[in-house]
Amino acid sequence: MLVKPETLSQICDHAKSEFPDECCGAILSDGTQEFVWKCRNIQNELHQEDPDRYPRDARTAYVIHPDDLFKVTKASETQHIKAFYHSHPNHEAYFSDKDKADATMWGEPTYPGTTYLVISVYDAEIRAVKAFAWDETSQDFIEVEGSQRRA
């Protein structure tokens, strides 16, 4: 299991509470406990301010608030960033080209060793949670075997 059942429940609840918008966040671990960091998705604000630069709204995209990302990064000084997560409202759980672009810098993972979870939520019902991790051989993110699914 990639994350503890209670962690999975928390991120699924987050996805349902933000529906029909995408949720986003991080899961950190101190080696014993997992901590869910619910982040703010500022995609709607960016879209409203500059629709040419940000043509998508929060129903189909997310941008983690910089303050939240700073706090997660700061916390990673004493805890491991186990995963970042986001939801796909009314879409399947897959790692899109934009997700891959956001998770890499200069062709390498921005957060090495970090898994990315994508939660498929339809009408506030969780359909699947899939995990994606960097594969050195293919130099790409691939689905992790045994990704967690909910029907």
Side-chain angles (χ1 to χ4, degrees):
M1 186 171 283
L2 299 170
V3 296
K4 295 178 180 183
E6 56 271 18
T7 302
L8 181 62
S9 180
Q10 287 180 53
I11 66 172
C12 287
D13 287 347
H14 187 199
K16 290 188 281 188
S17 73
E18 295 295 323
F19 184 88
D21 291 340
E22 290 194 12
C23 75
C24 54
I27 301 167
L28 283 83
S29 175
D30 66 5
T32 306
Q33 292 182 296
E34 292 176 345
F35 307 93
V36 174
W37 290 67
K38 294 179 184 176
C39 297
R40 293 168 285 174
N41 180 357
I42 61 169
Q43 186 70 37
N44 280 337
E45 290 88 347
L46 296 172
H47 173 71
Q48 187 173 18
E49 290 171 10
D50 190 350
D52 292 330
R53 184 171 177 199
Y54 299 96
R56 298 179 349 172
D57 64 19
R59 292 173 296 171
T60 58
Y62 76 97
V63 171
I64 294 175
H65 192 291
D67 291 346
D68 296 340
L69 189 55
F70 175 79
K71 289 175 185 174
V72 167
T73 303
K74 186 76 174 153
S76 74
E77 293 174 4
T78 58
Q79 300 171 17
H80 168 69
I81 301 174
K82 191 169 184 175
F84 283 100
Y85 69 88
H86 72 280
S87 60
H88 281 181
N90 294 324
H91 289 87
E92 297 304 312
Y94 64 95
F95 209 56
S96 71
D97 289 340
K98 178 159 182 355
D99 294 336
K100 290 177 185 182
D102 290 347
T104 56
M105 188 177 295
W106 300 298
E108 294 288 326
T110 306
Y111 295 91
T114 299
T115 300
Y116 292 82
L117 302 174
V118 182
I119 306 156
S120 171
V121 55
Y122 280 79
D123 298 320
E125 177 189 327
I126 304 301
R127 290 208 182 159
V129 179
K130 293 185 180 180
F132 301 87
W134 183 256
D135 177 66
E136 284 295 329
T137 304
S138 65
Q139 294 289 291
D140 197 3
F141 285 92
I142 61 169
E143 185 176 347
V144 175
E145 296 256 348
S147 287
Q148 296 159 328
R149 300 173 190 271
R150 287 184 149 193

